Amino acid sequence: MEGNATSDLRPSVRGDAYTLKLHVSKRSQQTMIRSSLVSLCACFLLAACGDNPSDKPGDNPSDSPVPRGATVPWDEYEAEAGVSSGGATLEQTTRGPWLEGTLSGEASGRKAVTLHGPTDAVAWTSRVKANSVLVRYSVPDQKEAHLDVYVNDVKVATLTVNSDFAWLYTGPNNTETHNAFPRQQVDELPQNPSTSDVNFGLRLPWNSAHHIYDEAHALLATDGRETIHPGDVVKIISPDASAELPVTIDFMDLELVPEPLSAPAGYVVVSEFTQAGVVRALQEAVDGGKPGIFLPPGDYVMSHVSPALPKVYVPAGLTVQGAGMWYTRFVPPPPQEVGYNYEFGFRLSGDNITFQDFAIFGTWRNRAARYNKDAADLGNWPWDSYDGIGRAFDRYMHNNAVFKRLWIERMIVGGWVEGGNNLLWQDCRFRNTLADGINLCNGTSNSRIVNCTARNTGDDAFAMWSAITWDKAPIGDTPWVHQPEGPNQGNIIERCTAGLIWRAAGFAVYGGHDNVIKDSVVYDTLRYPGITVDNEFAPQHEFSGLTTLQNMTVERCGGRMWWDDDDGAQGDETTRRKWGAVWLFAANPYSPAEPSSPIRFQGIRLKDIDIIDPVYYGVLVQTTQGQRIEDTEFDGVHIVMNQSGEFGMVANDSHKAPPSPFSGKIATTGSITLKNSSITGHRANSGNLFSKDPVSTETFLFKDGGGNIWTGDR
């Protein structure tokens, strides 16, 4: 949300990605209600925006169903739902699998429209009042074009669209997606393959593409007035489009942005659009006993005051207040001055710190590693590790920190939360990050992520990871980098939406206890489940108590694994193993931190989960050697296989069993109790409701807890 204009909230219209499902009975009778009209579900969505997350429909059995997904101030228009003209063509794959590196595979709803010439266009009739336009697009790699935006045949904006922050590549076996590079860095890779087709552990050539869409936006009025009205026709053309430069449109967002916020009373107003100016204002606020600093509209260029301290440390008790996420932006210096992948962001130095109403736009183009040709020429190890930076907010976050109405884009991570208690992330946008949108990590407790959205992330959009940090002592004289001990506990992610994830899951939980994800939506993942419950990343704390996922929609999720030891030197797509739209993985039987203590995988609860058109499997269950799934229940899990889906629920060998590499098959072990659940759709039949591989047949059980459309254990 922008500013405090809650009265202008509208549901995002995403066609078949935002699905509201009413359970008519405990069995297969169900109604799928698509939110194609704002008025249809606005009353539900607005009711979910109160400050108290538990004060909403659904707490009383007589209330209407609790809506799912974030309530957002923009209205979304899929390109395929618009009116195309000229020679514009539809990009679509009508059924799974949908593949990364393809215009339909990486598009919202797996459809988009391509403009091939300057007379091609796509147009929509506006349903809302608006004064801003955002377009998700794709152009060929290393190309640039423009998009002209017309309202009722009058040009109102021109967007520059290019491939600067899209088109990453990996090798033929796709194992290095984590370290995907832009074309310029791929060109620096060693080009003389060894006899085993491997150089420095990486297979060549690197020509597998990922992350081919980006976004551009324009604000048409800065005073809050509407420049687009209901009934107006909004049209997009590209004067540069040609056979050699096709321009693809995925969707358009229209939003009514309120006027900029004014400085609160008593705040220090930042007077210089630099990192040094921000640091001085923070110190002035501390010295003068002020409540915080205010950043007027503008781009604040975060040129480092000291290269040794690229982050801005905010003192305890202060508020960093912007004029609104469309007006106040933190940005790095221009790439032509400092290059891409410039490190900047914020850290907290104490309790009770608030950040709100601004944006952070980075220039990150790859995530975790860079091939250093100079080092390779000297015969040295050629990879520079970059993981752990590029985070807008990171490290220990203390107590009672608040993050509201933030727009974070083109960073590696939006928020990497290493501990802290009673934190609140609310109404935030995480877009086009190269890794996580936000990850609650290292002992975060009693914290909430509420009404946030994430799209086109390169790792989990929303995650909770109970990691154990090896070095738990403060580092030198910097107590703010203390790594807290203990599992994640008592955290809630609610009313959030994750979509278009090109690597990893929409929602993920890795260990901990009494954590909840609810009332949320995930759609269109490419190479991973929509929901992951997993303890493979050691060292981490075990699952204890309960871990609850409730009232969620998972649509068009899953796909082929990006890695597989069986896929051969050329990365044969057809041999790769398959994900489920929901994945439970009991991985590490023991913790490297405490090798004598087993790590349990238990207490998992999935309730009222709608899994729609899984790419392959609705649910995939796996364990490794020495592990088992215990005390786990599904209640009201409904899998619908119409466009895609091969099996409802699957238990099989994970092929990730320790020690690695491991030869042979490992049985999935344990059980899940299923109640009030169903597997339906045109592609469902009596033979594909459940599947277990031979080694798991006698070791894993889908228990019939009653109320299912089938009877008996499977």
Side-chain angles (χ1 to χ4, degrees), residues 263-270 281-286 288-295 314-321 354:
Y267 278 53
V268 174
V269 178
V270 180
L282 290 169
Q283 188 59 52
E284 185 178 341
V286 172
K290 304 294 186 179
I293 66 172
F294 176 75
L295 299 117
V314 178
L318 293 186
T319 293
V320 178
Q321 173 72 56
T354 296

Side-chain angles (χ1 to χ4, degrees), residues 359-372:
I360 297 176
F361 274 72
T363 56
W364 288 90
R365 304 183 69 199
N366 61 286
R367 170 178 173 178
R370 182 179 67 88
Y371 178 74
N372 188 330

Side-chain angles (χ1 to χ4, degrees), residues 141-160:
D141 195 8
Q142 303 186 75
K143 299 292 185 179
E144 182 171 285
H146 298 86
L147 296 176
D148 290 338
V149 181
Y150 289 81
V151 176
N152 298 331
D153 292 324
V154 175
K155 187 165 72 172
V156 298
T158 296
L159 305 176
T160 299

Side-chain angles (χ1 to χ4, degrees), residues 33-50:
I33 299 178
R34 306 290 185 181
S35 55
S36 57
L37 295 175
V38 172
S39 59
L40 181 65
C41 57
C43 57
F44 291 146
L45 294 170
L46 290 172
C49 290

Side-chain angles (χ1 to χ4, degrees), residues 284-592:
E284 185 178 341
V286 172
D287 294 343
K290 304 294 186 179
I293 66 172
F294 176 75
L295 299 117
D299 283 358
Y300 292 77
V301 180
M302 305 300 279
S303 298
H304 300 154
V305 176
S306 167
L309 294 172
K311 304 279 190 173
V312 172
Y313 289 86
V314 178
L318 293 186
T319 293
V320 178
Q321 173 72 56
M325 63 174 73
W326 282 84
Y327 300 109
T328 299
R329 300 200 320 167
F330 292 97
V331 299
Q336 58 267 32
E337 295 179 9
V338 297
Y340 293 91
N341 297 358
Y342 189 82
E343 171 75 337
F344 72 103
F346 291 92
R347 287 178 180 155
L348 287 69
S349 297
D351 297 341
N352 304 308
I353 297 174
T354 296
F355 301 89
Q356 56 193 25
D357 300 301
F358 60 82
I360 297 176
F361 274 72
T363 56
W364 288 90
R365 304 183 69 199
N366 61 286
R367 170 178 173 178
R370 182 179 67 88
Y371 178 74
N372 188 330
K373 187 175 184 301
D374 292 336
D377 290 343
L378 295 173
N380 295 330
W381 177 250
W383 298 102
D384 296 333
S385 176
Y386 271 59
D387 214 2
I389 61 174
R391 299 164 173 174
F393 297 90
D394 71 349
R395 301 258 177 116
Y396 183 42
M397 296 197 176
H398 300 272
N399 300 300
N400 311 318
V402 174
F403 306 81
K404 284 187 176 182
R405 298 177 296 275
L406 304 177
W407 182 345
I408 300 173
E409 186 159 351
R410 294 174 181 162
M411 300 293 286
I412 291 182
V413 173
W416 189 270
V417 182
E418 297 182 355
N421 179 65
N422 194 34
L423 313 177
L424 173 63
W425 293 75
Q426 185 170 345
D427 305 331
C428 295
R429 309 175 186 184
F430 306 100
R431 295 180 179 172
N432 304 303
T433 60
L434 292 169
D436 302 56
I438 181 168
N439 193 317
L440 304 182
C441 191
N442 296 98
T444 306
S445 62
N446 306 310
S447 297
R448 295 161 54 212
I449 303 173
V450 181
N451 205 64
C452 293
T453 62
R455 67 185 180 211
N456 207 29
T457 65
D459 213 313
D460 296 323
F462 299 97
M464 292 188 277
W465 181 20
S466 291
I468 297 172
T469 303
W470 292 106
D471 182 4
K472 302 184 182 68
I475 302 173
D477 296 324
T478 55
W480 50 81
V481 300
H482 178 75
Q483 303 298 311
E485 299 183 38
N488 281 9
Q489 55 185 306
N491 302 302
I492 299 174
I493 299 174
E494 60 182 316
R495 302 200 314 270
C496 290
T497 297
L500 302 164
I501 314 303
W502 62 273
R503 183 183 184 276
F507 298 90
V509 188
Y510 305 101
H513 65 84
D514 301 304
N515 298 302
V516 176
I517 302 175
K518 64 179 182 177
D519 309 334
S520 294
V521 171
V522 54
Y523 62 94
D524 293 340
T525 61
L526 276 170
R527 289 286 193 183
Y528 220 67
I531 294 174
T532 294
V533 184
D534 181 341
N535 68 351
E536 72 183 291
F537 298 116
Q540 71 174 256
H541 293 277
E542 68 180 0
F543 284 100
S544 59
L546 295 180
T547 297
T548 302
L549 297 99
Q550 181 172 350
N551 194 40
M552 300 180 68
T553 298
V554 184
E555 190 160 8
R556 293 183 302 272
C557 291
R560 294 276 186 177
M561 296 183 179
W562 62 73
W563 57 268
D564 200 321
D565 293 340
D566 290 340
D567 68 356
Q570 298 306 312
D572 183 357
E573 184 73 30
T574 63
T575 68
R576 296 184 190 275
R577 289 168 170 261
K578 301 169 183 177
W579 296 113
V582 173
W583 184 38
L584 273 62
F585 185 29
N588 294 303
Y590 299 99
S591 168

Side-chain angles (χ1 to χ4, degrees), residues 651-669:
N652 64 23
D653 162 51
S654 74
H655 209 181
K656 296 183 74 173
S660 182
F662 189 89
S663 59
K665 303 292 185 179
I666 296 298
T668 291
T669 303

Side-chain angles (χ1 to χ4, degrees), residues 99-107 136-141 162-163 165-169 208-214 248 456 502 526:
L99 299 178
E100 62 195 343
T102 65
L103 291 169
S104 60
E106 295 203 22
R136 188 172 192 254
Y137 68 89
S138 181
V139 296
D141 195 8
N162 56 46
S163 63
F165 299 99
W167 290 93
L168 301 180
Y169 298 89
S208 180
H210 323 267
H211 183 55
I212 67 174
Y213 280 89
D214 197 12
T248 300
N456 207 29
W502 62 273
L526 276 170

